[in-house]
């Protein structure tokens, strides 16, 4: 290396760093101007075969949870969802499950866990809907909080605990 290499490399690093910073700033600014993401529209049958549309719960704070009976983290978090639905349902909170499962398994699971909120069903359709809600990898569980105006305010691509979920819900009630 020559003695000119070090200053040249340092100058190149500064220019590249500044470019990345400026690009990041403009990317953030474009996101901020775009504002919150409106929840996508969808219709799926519930466990009784009745078609339900997500707009049915407009005006409520919706916690949309994609789950499967074969998913251990789903099994673990759903009792907490039941408790939160009991605690805050009268303040406008509405949990809605989307089972990525077979109907018989989803119905059995729903009954065994005494789920006190509706669950919709659809294997391929549910995965497609999850993707429209930001779950490109098809991760389960996947949970989305939608405010009263229909905007997505939080996404969790993992099991969520009460200490994380409850404070994310409460400001919207």
């Amino acid at each position: 290396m020559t003695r000119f290499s070090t200053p040249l490399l340092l100058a190149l690093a500064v220019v590249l760093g500044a470019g990345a910073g400026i690009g990041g700033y403009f990317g953030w600014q474009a996101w901020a101007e775009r504002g919150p993401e409106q929840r996508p529209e969808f219709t799926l049958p519930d466990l009784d075969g009745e078609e339900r549309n997500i707009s049915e719960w407009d005006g409520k704070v919706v916690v949309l949870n994609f789950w499967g009976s074969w998913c251990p983290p789903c099994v673990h978090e759903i009792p907490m969802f039941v408790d939160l639905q009991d605690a805050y349902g009268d303040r406008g909170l509405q949990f809605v499950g989307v089972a990525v499962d077979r109907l018989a398994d989803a119905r059995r699971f729903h009954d065994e866990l005494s789920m006190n909120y509706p669950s919709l069903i659809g294997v391929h359709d549910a995965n497609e809907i999850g993707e429209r809600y930001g779950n490109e990898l098809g991760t389960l569980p996947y949970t989305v909080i939608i405010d009263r105006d229909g905007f997505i305010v939080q996404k969790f691509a993992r099991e969520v605990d009460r200490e994380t979920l409850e404070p994310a819900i409460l400001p919207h009630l």
Side-chain angles (χ1 to χ4, degrees):
M1 264 200 188
T2 66
R3 61 186 174 124
F4 297 109
S5 297
T6 303
L8 186 59
L9 288 174
L10 183 58
L12 182 60
V14 168
V15 168
L16 289 174
I22 291 169
Y25 169 76
F26 284 115
W28 171 82
Q29 189 175 24
W31 177 84
E33 288 173 2
R34 185 175 62 235
E37 177 185 356
Q38 181 74 38
R39 62 132 178 88
E41 188 75 22
F42 73 89
T43 300
L44 282 174
D46 64 17
L47 299 180
D48 295 322
E50 182 181 335
E51 292 291 316
R52 308 286 293 266
N53 188 284
I54 189 64
S55 65
E56 177 179 336
W57 299 285
D58 284 355
K60 295 185 178 232
V61 175
V62 175
V63 178
L64 185 64
N65 173 250
F66 294 82
W67 61 271
S69 63
W70 42 267
C71 163
C74 301
V75 174
H76 187 255
E77 71 182 2
I78 286 178
M80 180 259 302
F81 294 165
V82 169
D83 290 345
L84 289 173
Q85 181 64 54
D86 278 340
Y88 300 111
D90 61 344
R91 290 178 54 188
L93 178 65
Q94 182 61 62
F95 279 80
V96 177
V98 177
V100 184
D101 216 329
R102 295 181 303 198
L103 178 58
D105 293 335
R107 184 175 284 137
R108 178 188 47 76
F109 183 79
H110 192 272
D111 293 344
E112 284 176 8
L113 291 179
S114 301
M115 293 170 73
N116 56 356
Y117 55 88
S119 276
L120 313 179
I121 183 90
V123 178
H124 301 294
D125 291 340
N127 280 328
E128 180 184 310
I129 292 163
E131 191 173 315
R132 291 187 359 227
Y133 275 81
N135 189 8
E136 289 94 15
L137 299 177
T139 304
L140 289 183
Y142 185 76
T143 304
V144 178
I145 301 173
I146 304 165
D147 72 11
R148 292 178 188 272
D149 297 320
F151 291 103
I152 296 172
V153 295
Q154 187 89 36
K155 299 175 186 178
F156 301 96
R158 58 177 164 70
E159 179 181 350
V160 65
D161 58 29
R162 188 173 188 140
E163 293 73 28
T164 304
L165 185 61
E166 194 169 23
I169 292 170
L170 288 176
H172 305 285
L173 291 179

